């Protein structure tokens, strides 16, 4: 173990200790049991959707307030709009990193990262890979047999690795190493806000280094690395959460088998009920007044999604079943069986208009406004408030939808098979690490 590794380990321990200290101890002159933001980012809360009440407590503090961790906490669409209009924020790690995978915040502004991400993993790029992605989903599903299965380790993660190998043009002889590096780098997004254990940090760093070496010399190497680390994570989480929602809803599974276009509706609902990142660490590039608070250039800011959709479904119909009952619900252009990806109508490349992966312009049915309140799910937040992050969604959605279609086509049912496990120290992604299920007899017709 090197001196540098020892020093990093001590620094990570100190940051995590501060998160625990401020989470537990009451703040001077503020009622309550400590700093709710610190409670959220330490990553040990048991409440799955509301992080043990931390999200509600964060919302109660108002749209902008300063955490004892020296970070501005911004919530609510109006405050987020003000932040992005004035502060010109960029995504930035809030804790030390063993191996950086995000471009420097200044480079994010000057190198066109969002444009490159859209070029490599946006709607058009995914459309060009549609046939290969559908084939990969079928092959991964074909390796499963009826009976007990871990839908994360046996399906979502392998499919994500295979799909992103296609999207990122990974040579066949490098794909096994690519998949192993993705597994090692799985905690990287959460590590932006929550220090990981030293062993995890070492594995994470090795995975990121492997991915960086793979993409070295490419024209869009920075974008490819971000897509591999954060895009693949979003895809695996989106697919995992969609599968979990189907475990106790056999009718939805039957609909998915009879109508592959239903996958787009299911994934859209999961995307809105459980945004891929519920907190996004940023740094302000310019001073701004946000909800009456003065944020200076260089200040750390975290946008936190405190609103949850609860049981509201698409178009306000309750529950997952509502996705199929919503009046006038139609699948986005191009479902499985066609040459197009399941739901890539609209363009992530049109990000400068504030839209991602919608079926119309802002204010039209199907539109998803990145920084606004115009979403298809009543009461639910926009999926990702940061434009550069939102460019991760087209590929993630396509992988999740193809995965659902392939699994449903092969097996007549999926049922709960044991305790669902989410990772600790995963405050951004709420990453599923185990999803036990029993899948039905293989379809033979």
């Amino acid at each position: 173990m090197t001196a540098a590794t020892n020093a990093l380990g001590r620094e990570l321990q100190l940051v995590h200790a501060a998160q625990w200290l401020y989470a537990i101890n009451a703040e001077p002159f503020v009622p309550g049991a400590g700093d709710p933001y610190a409670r959220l980012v330490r990553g040990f809360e048991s409440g799955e959707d509301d992080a043990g009440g931390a999200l509600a407590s964060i919302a109660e503090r108002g749209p902008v307030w300063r955490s004892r961790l020296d970070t501005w906490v911004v919530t609510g669409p109006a405050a987020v709009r003000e932040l992005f209009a004035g502060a010109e924020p960029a995504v930035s790690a809030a804790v030390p990193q063993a191996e950086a995978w995000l471009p420097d915040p200044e480079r994010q502004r000057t190198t066109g990262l969002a444009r490159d991400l859209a070029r490599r993993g946006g709607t058009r790029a995914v459309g060009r890979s549609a046939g290969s992605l559908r084939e990969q989903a079928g092959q991964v599903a074909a390796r499963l047999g009826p009976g007990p299965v871990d839908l994360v380790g046996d399906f979502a993660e392998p499919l994500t690795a295979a799909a992103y190998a296609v999207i990122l043009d990974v040579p066949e002889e490098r794909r096994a190493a690519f998949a192993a590096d993705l597994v090692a780098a799985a905690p990287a997004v959460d590590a932006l806000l929550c220090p990981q254990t030293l062993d995890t940090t070492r594995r994470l760093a090795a995975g990121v280094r492997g991915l960086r070496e793979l993409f070295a010399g490419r024209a869009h190497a920075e974008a490819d690395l971000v897509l591999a680390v954060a895009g693949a994570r979003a895809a695996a989480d989106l697919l995992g959460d969609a599968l979990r929602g189907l475990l106790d809803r056999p009718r939805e599974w039957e609909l998915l088998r009879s109508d592959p276009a239903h996958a787009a509706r299911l994934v859209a609902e999961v995307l809105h009920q459980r945004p891929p990142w519920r907190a996004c660490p940023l740094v302000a590039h310019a001073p701004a007044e946000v909800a009456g608070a003065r944020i200076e250039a260089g200040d750390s800011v975290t946008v936190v999604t405190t609103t949850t959709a609860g049981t509201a479904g698409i178009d306000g119909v309750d529950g997952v079943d509502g996705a199929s009952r919503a009046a006038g619900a139609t699948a986005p252009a191009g479902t499985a069986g066609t040459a197009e990806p399941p739901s890539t109508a609209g363009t992530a490349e049109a990000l400068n208009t504030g839209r991602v992966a919608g079926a119309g312009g802002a204010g039209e049915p199907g539109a998803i406004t990145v920084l606004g309140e115009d979403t298809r799910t009543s009461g639910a937040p926009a999926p990702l408030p940061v434009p550069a992050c939102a460019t991760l969604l087209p590929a993630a959605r396509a992988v999740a939808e193809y995965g659902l279609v392939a699994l449903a086509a092969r097996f007549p049912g999926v049922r709960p098979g044991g305790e669902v496990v989410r990772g600790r120290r995963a405050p951004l992604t709420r990453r599923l690490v185990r999803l036990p299920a029993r899948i039905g007899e293989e379809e033979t017709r």
Side-chain angles (χ1 to χ4, degrees):
M1 186 179 295
T2 66
T5 303
N6 278 327
L8 175 64
R10 287 193 296 270
E11 198 168 356
L12 292 172
Q13 284 182 323
L14 287 172
V15 173
H16 209 218
Q19 292 174 344
W20 277 88
L21 176 67
Y22 293 138
I24 293 171
N25 292 288
E27 300 180 60
F29 314 115
V30 179
D35 186 320
Y37 173 74
R39 198 159 79 244
L40 175 72
V41 298
R42 69 181 178 175
F44 273 71
E45 300 308 317
S46 58
E48 185 174 303
D49 291 314
D50 192 23
L55 292 175
S57 298
I58 287 171
E60 289 170 2
R61 296 286 182 94
V64 181
W65 54 278
R66 195 149 200 170
S67 165
R68 296 180 77 185
L69 294 173
D70 199 28
T71 295
W72 289 102
V73 180
V74 177
T75 65
V80 171
R81 280 195 296 267
E82 288 185 19
L83 173 69
F84 277 85
E88 303 176 17
V91 184
S92 179
V95 300
Q97 302 290 292
E99 193 76 30
W101 54 274
L102 274 174
D104 177 87
E106 188 60 35
R107 286 186 60 76
Q108 292 180 40
R109 302 175 69 206
T110 60
T111 59
L113 177 64
R115 181 194 62 240
D116 289 346
L117 286 169
R119 195 171 283 165
R120 294 293 288 153
T123 301
R124 293 172 187 169
V126 172
R128 290 191 295 270
S129 302
S132 295
L133 294 177
R134 186 167 54 249
E135 181 182 355
Q136 293 295 335
Q139 289 178 359
V140 176
R143 291 200 288 266
L144 300 176
V149 65
D150 175 7
L151 289 175
V152 171
D154 298 330
F155 185 67
E157 298 281 4
L159 173 55
T160 298
Y164 275 78
V166 169
I167 292 167
L168 296 173
D169 305 311
V170 177
E172 191 68 39
E173 67 273 13
R174 300 289 298 274
R175 293 192 175 186
F178 174 74
D181 287 336
L182 286 188
V183 171
V189 171
D190 291 298
L192 296 175
L193 272 178
C194 179
Q196 307 297 298
T197 66
L198 189 55
D199 283 345
T200 298
T201 299
R202 282 198 292 259
R203 289 193 297 271
L204 189 164
V208 171
R209 283 194 298 271
L211 293 169
R212 182 181 291 109
E213 291 168 4
L214 172 63
F215 303 134
R218 294 188 176 192
H220 306 294
E222 288 182 328
D224 284 2
L225 182 59
V226 172
L227 281 166
V229 174
R233 182 72 266 137
D237 293 339
L238 190 56
L239 177 54
D241 281 324
L243 288 168
R244 190 193 173 190
L246 292 167
L247 290 181
D248 55 357
R249 293 181 171 91
R251 181 172 176 271
E252 291 297 324
W253 192 257
E254 292 169 6
L255 282 171
L256 187 59
R257 283 171 57 78
S258 62
D259 178 16
H262 191 50
R265 296 188 286 267
L266 291 171
V267 170
E269 182 174 2
V270 173
L271 181 64
H272 286 272
Q273 289 187 351
R274 300 185 62 84
W277 294 16
R278 67 176 166 192
C280 190
L282 307 164
V283 62
H285 277 295
E289 292 284 338
V290 180
R294 176 74 174 180
I295 295 177
E296 300 291 349
D299 282 357
S300 294
V301 183
T302 301
V303 172
V304 179
T305 299
T306 57
T307 306
T308 57
T311 58
I314 291 177
D315 293 327
V317 181
D318 288 344
V320 174
D321 284 347
S324 59
R325 296 195 303 267
T330 58
T335 55
T338 72
E340 294 298 321
S343 69
T344 54
T347 64
E349 290 84 347
L351 201 54
N352 59 344
T353 68
R355 289 192 295 119
V356 291
E364 298 172 11
I368 302 172
T369 302
V370 178
L371 301 181
E373 299 169 283
D374 185 8
T375 65
R376 284 184 291 176
T377 305
S378 176
L384 287 171
V386 183
C389 297
T391 52
L392 306 175
L393 293 180
R397 289 183 66 152
V399 171
E401 291 165 19
Y402 281 130
L404 291 179
V405 171
L407 199 61
R410 181 168 170 81
F411 296 104
V414 55
R415 303 178 301 283
E419 183 180 0
V420 176
V421 179
R422 291 191 182 271
R424 286 190 166 180
R425 305 197 190 212
L428 278 73
T429 66
R430 296 147 291 177
R431 180 167 55 97
L432 278 167
V433 295
R434 190 166 181 268
L435 184 58
R438 295 189 65 85
I439 48 181
E441 293 298 320
E442 182 177 347
E443 178 64 29
T444 57
R445 59 181 170 81

